[in-house]
Amino acid sequence: MYNSENLLDSFTKPIGYIPAVILGLLLNLLDAISYGMITFPLNNPIFASFGPDGISMFYVSCIISQIVYSCGGSVFKGGNGSMMIEVVPFLHIMAEKIVTIVGKENPSVVIPSTMVAFALSSIMTGLAFFLLGALKLGSLIGFFPRHILVGTIGGVGWFLVATGIEVSGRLESSLEYTIPMFKNIFFNTHVLSLWSSALAVAILLRLIQYRITSPMVVPIFFMTLPLAFYAIVFIFGLDVQTVRDAGWIFPLVESDTPFWHFYTYYDFKLVDWRAVAETIPAMLALTFFGVLHVPINVPALGVSTNKDDVDVNRELVAHGVSNAVSGLFGSVQNYLVYTNSLLFIRSGGDSRVAGLMLAGATAILWMVGPWIVGYIPVMVVGSLIFHLGLDLLKEALVDTWHSVHYLEYITICVIIACMATLGFVEGILVGIIMACVFFVVQNARRSEAIRATYTARYMRSTVRRLYRQERFLKEVGGQIQIVKLQGYLFFGTIDQVESAIRDMLDEHEWDKHPIRFLILDLQLVQGLDFSAAEAFVRIRRLLRARQVYMIVCNVARKSDEAKALMKAGIWVDHSQQHDEGDLKCFEYLNDAVEWCENVLLTTYFEKKPKDLQSKFLSGTPATTVPGANDTTYPYSDKLAAAGSPRQHMVSNAIHQVFSEARTPLVHSNTTQPTLILVQAFGEIGHGKIDIEFFHKLSKYFERTTCNKGENIYREGDPCDHLLILEQGSLRSLMYVLKEQVTVETILPGTVVGEMGMFVGNTTRTRSLMADQDCVYWKLTRESFDRMCETEPALANKFILLTLYFSSERLDTMTRYAFHLH
């Protein structure tokens, strides 16, 4: 319900918007004189008198866009809509195309066909805007290379400079790069004076802008320029009509020409639809170029006006409506203009009422009629066109110097050159092609497809094994080669991987560092193309020739990478692992390394000398390899062939491990748990610990069994014991992102749960589950405390021996954590 105060505000607030509306109207007038005036190619005789009609079409487009934005289409209440200068080159291309097809001798067909083509291009642009916004696809525009847009802006800048010469020099034909045209521009004194004076005024304006940075400099300058021109005319007593005939002032418009005159050009019966269809490529290029501006102007205006609720998709829908309606009303494209909007808002026009007032004032200006064109000095329009052209060229060529990569700068320059010589559509296509080529070149040169290469001497699995097995695997771990890949693998980068693997298989390198397994870790790979998948096929053939296992890991199931590898035959499910003898696939790197270690240990048990085996305990779990009983390794015999570098490495490792081994002397009547204690710790002490130590230690342990799948303890349980596994195997589990994963595998003869006992943790940080039926020996906290009290020396020595397993585990886990990224 309105009271007197609200009623007063409804009258006083619009009055407060008047200064902003006057400023907005002035900006629209200047834009109409520059943009609208050259909507048609005035140097073409058919369109020589179409300057006023272009201005009228500009006003219609401006009014429609202003109404759409101010009525709620845009989040910016004071947003100003207007035609953009960048669309003019494309409009000229369409007009010239139609003239070429229809013929200069048929203006009655050329004109309506051109008008329809302009309107259809507006509707097409509006449809593109609307669909992008309605489907929430505004973010896709951000994927287009920015330097191509900058190059196109530079091309528009050169077009404006050329248009400035054409308009201000009063040329009768388009600017061409020919000797006759060159002579006319530079050696015809009258023509030279016409366009050079306009260029000099534009340069003067730029010099003033260097001194004064206020955004009001340009409108004030161009409002003052006509006054200064006529002052000079009257001071020197020159006749206005003589000056007009000399080309310094635009011709008079017929007094009876109505403001809606351009609508009289629409005659659908005379339209050459074939010629209109030929302009579709230019329409698409215009649409494509126009669509790129919204995601730039809208967020920039949001930052400048401190608006956090800017929705690009909403603005795209608004642009779609305004352009489509403008096309239906027979006019040209329009956009939310950053500079005009910012000046209007900061001048007090941040209101939808102010926007509607500006639309009404622009409509009045349109209805006044085009007669004003006959009194506008050509220098004003020419200098304004030169100013805009130089500004865009500066943005493209000067502002980007040392700001972009040199290949991107070359692309910008080539786009400008192609647009100036070949055409705008051709320039954009050349720019896109160059951007694609340079993108491939840059990524191929800069992107490192291989993040790291290392062997299993450095990166071991998290399986807890006997000391002797650990020593053997450390000696032969060089036969397990791990290559960690990264980034997007495509035809430009996969060559790095293939070359690196070829170097590993080179004869000279092979003699020094033979490998039996190549693990390709794809955890950091973001995707791969068909060329990369095919390269993996070639890599597999290379490895097969050397009888090397190819192992792929860290590929998510049903991912694009898995599908690409599967199509190339490089990814197999677990059910198919036996069918692909040389190819193995694992979900995690740890699983892959563990499988390789098991193959090496199988060879270790098969090839170790019988006389060395007799030195050690019989019936102990020294030969335990998880999963080895039912697994066949097709390359095992071949890889261990006598005389091969790999066989030499294995034989030397076995001999060294068994020759270095020192264990306490165990009598034949020794029983458990002394046997398992000797097995676990005897070699860690390098034979310096006598059997009596283990006899004393054994009395603190108690035997326990558990069934397969049974939890020995869970995460969060109290740390009340440690254990030494005698038979079976265990898995240490923990939750990672709500998913329970296996952290370690514990084999017979190893210790688990020691850290919680020694450091005094109250609860378990992991769970322990039996993978098989197990027998283990448990040391409870009560027994350990009793040992510390009654036999402290025994307890200290036991702690030192046990910490070997902890230090090995910490070292392995640290390496995995370091290579997670």
Side-chain angles (χ1 to χ4, degrees), residues 233-260:
V233 169
F234 289 122
I235 289 173
F236 286 93
L238 301 175
D239 180 65
V240 174
Q241 187 58 43
T242 303
V243 173
R244 179 180 288 111
D245 293 339
W248 292 95
I249 304 174
F250 284 106
L252 287 171
V253 179
E254 295 180 15
S255 58
D256 59 345
T257 301
F259 62 88
W260 43 265

Side-chain angles (χ1 to χ4, degrees), residues 1 8 17 54-55 89 106 162 167 218 242 264 284 288 317 488 509 535 542 546 562 598 716 779 817:
M1 194 173 176
L8 183 63
Y17 300 144
I55 292 177
N106 294 312
V167 172
V218 174
T242 303
T264 62
L284 293 173
F288 176 73
V317 170
Y488 185 80
E509 183 68 20
L542 290 172
R546 282 287 194 177
N598 290 343
L779 175 67

Side-chain angles (χ1 to χ4, degrees), residues 45-58:
I46 297 177
F47 302 107
S49 61
F50 275 52
D53 296 299
I55 292 177
S56 293
M57 292 174 69
F58 171 89

Side-chain angles (χ1 to χ4, degrees), residues 39 53-64 83 91 115-123 262-263 266 322-334:
T39 299
D53 296 299
I55 292 177
S56 293
M57 292 174 69
F58 171 89
Y59 284 140
V60 171
S61 179
C62 191
I63 294 166
I64 290 171
M83 173 183 168
L91 298 178
M115 299 298 292
V116 169
F118 284 8
L120 287 178
S121 69
S122 295
I123 295 173
F262 72 92
Y263 283 116
Y266 281 94
S322 65
N323 278 274
V325 173
S326 179
L328 293 173
F329 273 82
S331 189
V332 291
Q333 290 83 356
N334 53 70

Side-chain angles (χ1 to χ4, degrees), residues 294-580:
V294 177
I296 297 173
N297 290 349
V298 169
L301 186 58
V303 171
S304 300
T305 57
N306 298 317
K307 276 195 173 294
D308 299 324
D309 56 342
V310 176
D311 182 2
V312 174
N313 291 311
R314 173 183 174 179
E315 302 300 323
L316 285 169
V317 170
H319 280 72
V321 173
S322 65
N323 278 274
V325 173
S326 179
L328 293 173
F329 273 82
S331 189
V332 291
Q333 290 83 356
N334 53 70
Y335 307 88
L336 183 71
V337 183
Y338 170 80
T339 305
N340 292 17
S341 298
L342 189 61
L343 287 172
F344 187 74
I345 291 171
R346 288 182 175 177
S347 301
D350 191 14
S351 165
R352 301 199 184 279
V353 174
L356 291 174
M357 289 173 64
L358 176 60
T362 305
I364 293 173
L365 188 62
W366 172 43
M367 294 177 186
V368 167
W371 59 267
I372 192 173
V373 174
Y375 297 94
I376 298 175
V378 173
M379 180 187 295
V380 174
V381 177
S383 60
L384 184 53
I385 295 172
F386 275 126
H387 169 70
L388 294 171
L390 293 174
D391 198 49
L392 294 181
L393 282 173
K394 172 181 174 292
E395 180 182 344
L397 296 176
V398 179
D399 295 347
T400 56
W401 184 254
H402 293 310
S403 298
V404 299
H405 190 271
Y406 75 94
L407 292 178
E408 294 178 337
Y409 192 82
I410 291 173
T411 305
I412 292 172
C413 294
V414 171
I415 290 174
I416 295 173
C418 289
M419 285 186 168
T421 55
L422 302 178
F424 268 73
V425 178
E426 293 82 356
I428 292 177
L429 290 177
V430 169
I432 292 174
I433 293 171
M434 289 187 65
C436 293
V437 172
F438 286 158
F439 175 80
V440 172
V441 172
Q442 284 182 272
N443 278 272
R445 289 172 54 186
R446 289 186 171 188
S447 300
E448 293 291 338
I450 300 177
R451 185 175 182 84
T453 57
Y454 40 83
T455 67
R457 285 178 178 171
Y458 173 81
M459 181 67 77
R460 295 279 312 285
S461 73
T462 59
V463 179
R464 295 200 186 190
R465 305 182 190 273
L466 289 174
Y467 174 80
R468 194 185 314 148
Q469 296 176 12
E470 298 271 5
R471 289 283 296 114
F472 170 76
L473 292 174
K474 192 168 291 186
E475 292 295 326
V476 299
Q479 294 193 18
I480 305 174
Q481 182 71 52
I482 303 168
V483 180
K484 195 174 189 69
L485 306 179
Q486 67 176 358
Y488 185 80
L489 302 181
F490 67 107
F491 57 88
T493 57
I494 194 63
D495 182 63
Q496 301 174 25
V497 182
E498 197 169 350
S499 298
I501 293 173
R502 286 182 184 275
D503 291 341
M504 294 177 192
L505 302 179
D506 179 71
E507 197 68 39
H508 181 68
E509 183 68 20
W510 181 268
D511 291 337
K512 294 188 296 182
H513 304 290
I515 64 173
R516 185 178 297 197
F517 312 92
L518 179 69
I519 300 177
L520 297 174
D521 183 1
L522 276 63
Q523 182 182 17
L524 300 180
V525 172
Q526 299 168 349
L528 51 92
D529 69 354
F530 180 74
S531 298
E534 285 295 306
F536 281 117
V537 176
R538 294 194 298 272
I539 291 170
R540 183 181 181 184
R541 285 200 294 264
L542 290 172
L543 297 174
R544 185 183 291 167
R546 282 287 194 177
Q547 297 176 350
V548 176
Y549 285 102
M550 179 175 177
I551 301 169
V552 182
C553 66
N554 274 322
V555 179
R557 301 285 177 181
K558 298 182 180 180
S559 65
D560 292 339
E561 294 83 7
K563 293 175 182 177
L565 292 174
M566 199 171 294
K567 288 178 181 177
I570 303 297
W571 182 260
V572 292
D573 294 325
H574 287 294
S575 59
Q576 301 171 310
Q577 295 276 8
H578 294 293
D579 300 330
E580 303 287 342

Side-chain angles (χ1 to χ4, degrees), residues 520-653:
L520 297 174
D521 183 1
L522 276 63
Q523 182 182 17
L524 300 180
V525 172
Q526 299 168 349
L528 51 92
D529 69 354
F530 180 74
S531 298
E534 285 295 306
F536 281 117
V537 176
R538 294 194 298 272
I539 291 170
R540 183 181 181 184
R541 285 200 294 264
L542 290 172
L543 297 174
R544 185 183 291 167
R546 282 287 194 177
Q547 297 176 350
V548 176
Y549 285 102
M550 179 175 177
I551 301 169
V552 182
C553 66
N554 274 322
V555 179
R557 301 285 177 181
K558 298 182 180 180
S559 65
D560 292 339
E561 294 83 7
K563 293 175 182 177
L565 292 174
M566 199 171 294
K567 288 178 181 177
I570 303 297
W571 182 260
V572 292
D573 294 325
H574 287 294
S575 59
Q576 301 171 310
Q577 295 276 8
H578 294 293
D579 300 330
E580 303 287 342
D582 64 313
L583 176 65
K584 302 294 174 186
C585 301
F586 295 94
E587 189 171 358
Y588 300 108
L589 174 61
N590 184 56
D591 298 336
V593 176
E594 179 184 349
W595 185 87
C596 298
E597 291 175 347
N598 290 343
V599 177
L600 289 171
L601 286 172
T602 301
T603 306
Y604 160 82
F605 291 124
E606 292 174 351
K607 301 298 178 181
K608 68 181 180 180
K610 300 298 182 183
D611 60 320
L612 292 179
Q613 293 186 51
S614 62
K615 294 182 181 180
F616 301 95
L617 301 174
S618 59
T620 62
T623 60
T624 304
V625 178
N629 297 331
D630 56 353
T631 303
T632 59
Y633 307 110
Y635 285 168
S636 294
D637 295 334
K638 298 177 184 178
L639 295 173
S644 70
R646 290 180 291 202
Q647 169 61 13
H648 282 307
M649 182 182 288
V650 171
S651 299
N652 292 338

Side-chain angles (χ1 to χ4, degrees), residues 63-90:
I63 294 166
I64 290 171
S65 61
Q66 192 64 56
I67 292 173
V68 171
Y69 300 149
S70 298
C71 288
S74 174
V75 71
F76 302 102
K77 298 177 181 179
N80 280 195
S82 176
M83 173 183 168
M84 284 186 70
I85 189 65
E86 286 86 351
V87 307
V88 174
F90 299 96

